[in-house]
Amino acid sequence: MKRMNINTTIPVLGPARIQSPLVSRGVACDGKTRFMKDEYRISVDVRVDRVAGKNEENILSFEQAGPREKIYFDPSKLKCAVANCGGLCPGLNDIIRSIVLELHHVYGVKSIYGIRYGLQGFIPDFGHDLIELTPERVSGIQNTGGSILGSSRGGQDIGEIVDCLERIG
């Protein structure tokens, strides 16, 4: 396999200073903490013969997803948004529901919005309204196909998206 020169490093905003609400809730699995560390990596290539004997820095990998012990923003003051981009796939409503329930019940986020029709939902010319996503609103959506938010393909102007985010706080 030809080695691609790809940088998978995620830029850091600075030090995370706020303790995750998961700490106070004692979230653990089999008595072990579920927190990921920034240095945890997942190899892109799963074939042992292609990664065996390589120096860790030479293995193409991604940062492991999952909760961190320290976070950047106070969840009680956040407004979060969920947008589907790139087309429909099975399970989107399950994912939307899971995100809303986790943000609301575990992290304590009070303001969660659905962005209609992907990145189009940020652009006023398309006229798509935001949907407030609450546990009640997403109850049962996992039993329906598609996405309650809709989706769209194609890029939108980043400046217009940022302007929209500033307008809605």
Side-chain angles (χ1 to χ4, degrees), residues 40-161:
Y40 289 177
R41 310 285 298 175
I42 301 296
S43 175
V44 171
D45 197 334
V46 296
R47 284 195 36 193
V48 174
D49 62 312
R50 292 198 285 229
V51 295
K54 286 190 178 180
N55 185 329
E56 236 179 77
E57 290 86 39
N58 293 331
I59 298 173
L60 184 59
S61 63
F62 295 109
E63 184 176 316
Q64 185 169 351
R68 301 308 201 250
E69 191 168 357
K70 297 281 188 175
I71 57 178
Y72 292 99
F73 304 103
D74 181 349
S76 68
K77 295 175 177 54
L78 283 182
K79 288 184 181 180
C80 294
V82 179
N84 297 327
C85 302
L88 293 177
C89 69
L92 282 176
N93 280 337
D94 295 57
I95 294 166
I96 294 165
R97 179 178 171 273
S98 294
I99 290 169
V100 171
L101 295 178
E102 184 86 3
L103 285 172
H104 181 84
H105 293 298
V106 178
Y107 283 89
V109 175
K110 301 297 181 228
S111 300
I112 307 165
Y113 299 99
I115 306 299
R116 299 294 314 243
Y117 302 104
L119 298 179
Q120 276 187 6
F122 290 106
I123 311 302
D125 292 346
F126 288 104
H128 303 309
D129 291 330
L130 298 177
I131 298 175
E132 185 172 1
L133 297 175
T134 63
E136 297 75 28
R137 177 76 191 247
V138 300
S139 177
I141 66 169
Q142 73 276 13
N143 299 320
T144 61
S147 165
I148 64 166
L149 299 178
S151 186
S152 68
R153 296 178 190 238
Q156 302 300 329
D157 181 84
I158 302 281
E160 286 188 77
I161 294 170

